[in-house]
Amino acid sequence: MAVAVQDTALGRLRGGLGHLSNQQKLGLMFAVAAIIALLSGSWMWSQTPDYRVLYSNLSDRDGGTIISSLQQMNIPYKMAEGGGAILVPSNEVYEVRLRLASQGLPKGSVVGFELMDGQKLGMSEFLERVNYQRALEGEITRSIQSLSAVQGARVHLAIPRPSVFIREQQKPSASVLLSLYPGRNLDAAQVSGIAHLISSSVPDLPVKNVTVVDQGGNLLTGAGDGAGKQAGLDPTQLDYLHQVELSYVKRIESILMPILGVGNVKAQVAADLDFSMVEQTAETYKPNPVPNEAAIRSQQMSETNGDAGKQASGVPGALSNQPPGAASAPITAAAAPGAGGGAGTATGAGNVHKESTVNFEVDKTIQHVRQPVGGVKRLSVAVVVNHRKDAKGANKPLSSAELSQVQNLVKEAMGFNQARGDTLNVVNAAFTESEAEEIPAVPLWKEPGNMALVKEVGKNLLIAALLFYLVFGVIRPILRDLARPHEHAGEHAGLSGEDGEETAEISPEAAAKAAQAAGYEENLKAAKELAKQDPRVVASVVKDWVGTE
């Protein structure tokens, strides 16, 4: 039964194709070919990898070397931006970068100390010195390019030849040209860091001999060595002044915000700082102090004894030449009157002369005072406080007690000192409320994370739309035209029972004869209608037939 149905379907299809015009057959062939091409293209399109940038802003030398490596690794690639960027499949970007990094690519057209690896035998001293200078410049350039804000750099070193004469010795110098990324800048600390980096890399190179210039020709080093320094202007001092003022503003606002609320207080501080360097040495002397309270510096005492009637006595010999024995009493003790002297002693009255000299310290004070740089000379503070809102939402000014409390808090926070001339002004006024600017939300399809998803969905929708159009707009009408002759044949050749239901299957030969009969009847019917409407045309046709015979 299934075979019969299949044969019937094939017969209907063949019969329908046979009754199609040439234009319909061409349209059907075009539609089938378009569907096959669309399906093949969709499959190839879906299999095509998404390419992403591997490296950009490459030099010709690095670009050629990287392409050769990609060809050896059998990795597909594309060129973009006029050959300045190389693209590879997105799923292989990081792997390819690591594999190229293992080969030392890209080199960035900067040659470092690897230049010394290819030294040839018999090279002159001049060439060796030039190669060393080039290698040193390349290494310093690589170090500078590793900074986040630096896109590229060029370093030029001027290293003089050494001399045996001290007076003729010259210090090296260096010049650096920086190419910064768009929207990036280097502050004074970063520029100073680059200068110190170069100074530490080259022997005997002072920091003052390093010149740093950006791609716009702006001098980044020595900004305070010109007329500004002679006029006493120093950017570091201005930065310190702004930091001091900002610290006072934060202290004032932070102490008032818990009371008044966020956004209800604004403060500004103008500080007058003293950047002069003052050193003072003072030496003062006090009047002569009381002797008992003064410190003794030195003391000298002398005593002289004079014995006029003393003569030599004793028995001459060895015993009389012996040194005197140990004293049994202090030397200063006076001898008892009438005491007899032993051997080698002298008796008689004598004169005693005593002298004493005492030197006292002079009360002297020496002070060496160095004033701190950047001391506060005077502060001027202005504070604006917003009105309070009552229960009905209306603005209400602060009371005198509340305003006095705010003023006292500000004085304590700023360290108010009337002796140095500090001023404070607190004003209570209603703030003007500005309408907040509404930032338009970024559409979901414009977000960077969803761009790839949007592209993929759009590609699939486009393929589905083309398939829908070819199937329902081209092929379906043609299939309807193919099915119409079979319907008429079935109406004339079908066998019906008493209930009007089909009772037999239609063979392919019967279907073809039925189709021919139906076509003949339709043509005959059309000829009769034409003869009724325009008999002259029919007569002319019959006349032509008779004449040809």
Side-chain angles (χ1 to χ4, degrees):
M1 186 68 180
V3 175
V5 173
Q6 186 177 2
D7 293 339
T8 303
L10 291 175
R12 291 179 181 179
L13 181 60
R14 291 174 183 174
L17 290 175
H19 289 81
L20 290 178
S21 62
N22 294 332
Q23 294 181 354
Q24 290 177 341
K25 291 179 180 179
L26 291 175
L28 181 60
M29 294 173 61
F30 174 77
V32 173
I35 291 177
I36 295 174
L38 182 61
L39 292 176
S40 301
S42 303
W43 182 80
M44 296 176 62
W45 191 9
S46 61
Q47 296 298 322
T48 302
D50 183 19
Y51 283 84
R52 292 188 181 181
V53 177
L54 177 66
Y55 292 112
S56 60
N57 298 325
L58 292 174
S59 61
D60 296 339
R61 180 180 301 177
D62 286 343
T65 308
I66 291 175
I67 289 176
S68 299
S69 300
L70 293 177
Q71 292 176 353
Q72 294 176 1
M73 292 185 292
N74 295 325
I75 296 176
Y77 65 90
K78 290 183 179 180
M79 305 296 296
E81 300 179 5
I86 300 177
L87 286 73
V88 297
S90 58
N91 57 347
E92 299 182 2
V93 171
Y94 301 104
E95 180 182 357
V96 173
R97 285 181 182 175
L98 293 176
R99 295 174 66 178
L100 292 176
S102 63
Q103 302 177 11
L105 296 175
K107 297 180 180 179
S109 299
V110 177
V111 181
F113 279 116
E114 64 269 13
L115 182 63
M116 309 299 294
D117 297 337
Q119 295 290 336
K120 298 181 181 179
L121 185 64
M123 183 177 294
S124 63
E125 182 184 358
F126 175 75
L127 292 178
E128 290 180 354
R129 186 168 63 252
V130 171
N131 288 339
Y132 172 75
Q133 183 171 340
R134 288 181 56 194
L136 186 59
E137 291 175 352
E139 293 295 334
I140 296 176
T141 301
R142 290 176 179 175
S143 300
I144 297 175
Q145 288 180 349
S146 61
L147 300 177
S148 58
V150 179
Q151 184 178 10
R154 293 196 65 181
V155 178
H156 302 279
L157 298 178
I159 303 177
R161 297 187 62 179
S163 176
V164 296
F165 301 101
I166 298 178
R167 295 181 180 178
E168 297 181 359
Q169 288 183 355
Q170 299 179 359
K171 296 294 184 180
S173 60
S175 59
V176 183
L177 176 61
L178 298 179
S179 178
L180 305 178
Y181 284 102
R184 300 286 187 90
N185 291 318
L186 296 177
D187 55 15
Q190 292 174 325
V191 175
S192 178
I194 294 175
H196 282 79
L197 173 66
I198 300 174
S199 175
S200 302
S201 302
V202 181
D204 298 331
L205 175 60
V207 179
K208 63 180 181 180
N209 288 1
V210 179
T211 303
V212 182
V213 182
D214 62 2
Q215 70 269 26
N218 301 317
L219 182 63
L220 302 181
T221 55
D225 296 337
K229 186 175 181 180
Q230 296 177 0
L233 301 177
D234 190 352
T236 57
Q237 295 179 358
L238 295 177
D239 293 339
Y240 177 72
L241 175 62
H242 294 160
Q243 292 177 4
V244 171
E245 294 176 348
L246 184 61
S247 65
Y248 279 105
V249 170
K250 290 182 178 179
R251 290 165 62 181
I252 294 172
E253 292 182 351
S254 63
I255 199 173
L256 295 180
M257 279 184 183
I259 301 175
L260 304 175
V262 178
N264 292 327
V265 57
K266 298 294 181 182
Q268 289 294 329
V269 177
D272 185 9
L273 304 182
D274 186 9
F275 291 103
S276 59
M277 300 179 63
V278 178
E279 293 186 6
Q280 183 180 2
T281 303
E283 185 175 352
T284 58
Y285 297 90
K286 292 184 178 180
N288 294 332
V290 180
N292 295 333
E293 297 179 358
I296 298 177
R297 181 177 184 181
S298 62
Q299 183 177 4
Q300 183 179 2
M301 300 179 63
S302 63
E303 181 178 354
T304 305
N305 295 326
D307 296 333
K310 186 175 181 179
Q311 296 179 355
S313 59
V315 179
L319 295 177
S320 61
N321 293 332
Q322 295 293 329
S328 59
I331 299 176
T332 57
T345 62
T347 61
N351 297 326
V352 178
H353 178 71
K354 295 183 179 180
E355 292 182 359
S356 177
T357 303
V358 180
N359 295 324
F360 296 95
E361 284 287 354
V362 179
D363 194 356
K364 180 177 66 173
T365 303
I366 300 176
Q367 291 181 347
H368 182 76
V369 181
R370 184 176 181 178
Q371 299 290 344
V373 180
V376 179
K377 295 172 60 177
R378 184 172 176 270
L379 290 177
S380 299
V381 181
V383 181
V384 181
V385 180
N386 191 13
H387 285 175
R388 288 186 180 274
K389 290 186 178 181
D390 54 9
K392 297 181 180 180
N395 292 330
K396 181 181 179 181
L398 299 179
S399 62
S400 58
E402 293 175 340
L403 197 61
S404 177
Q405 182 182 9
V406 170
Q407 188 172 3
N408 293 332
L409 289 175
V410 174
K411 285 184 177 180
E412 294 296 332
M414 63 176 286
F416 184 82
N417 189 355
Q418 189 175 2
R420 66 183 180 187
D422 294 349
T423 58
L424 173 62
N425 188 9
V426 179
V427 177
N428 182 214
F431 287 3
T432 302
E433 298 181 358
S434 58
E435 297 181 357
E437 182 180 359
E438 296 183 359
I439 301 176
V442 180
L444 184 63
W445 60 274
K446 285 187 177 181
E447 294 184 1
N450 298 332
M451 289 299 296
L453 181 61
V454 170
K455 290 180 180 179
E456 188 69 22
V457 173
K459 179 173 66 176
N460 296 330
L461 290 177
L462 179 60
I463 295 173
L466 291 176
L467 287 174
F468 184 83
Y469 172 74
L470 290 175
V471 171
F472 293 96
V474 178
I475 298 178
R476 187 178 181 182
I478 295 176
L479 294 177
R480 286 180 179 177
D481 294 338
L482 292 175
R484 284 177 183 175
H486 299 284
E487 294 175 359
H488 293 291
E491 291 177 358
H492 292 280
L495 298 178
S496 302
E498 296 179 356
D499 298 334
E501 296 179 347
E502 264 186 33
T503 59
E505 292 287 338
I506 300 176
S507 63
E509 292 80 6
K513 292 179 181 181
Q516 292 178 1
Y520 175 75
E521 291 179 357
E522 290 180 358
N523 293 334
L524 182 59
K525 185 178 180 181
K528 291 179 180 180
E529 292 293 333
L530 181 61
K532 291 180 181 179
Q533 296 178 1
D534 197 353
R536 295 180 182 180
V537 175
V538 177
S540 177
V541 172
V542 174
K543 184 178 180 179
D544 291 338
W545 287 350
V546 173
T548 55
E549 293 180 355

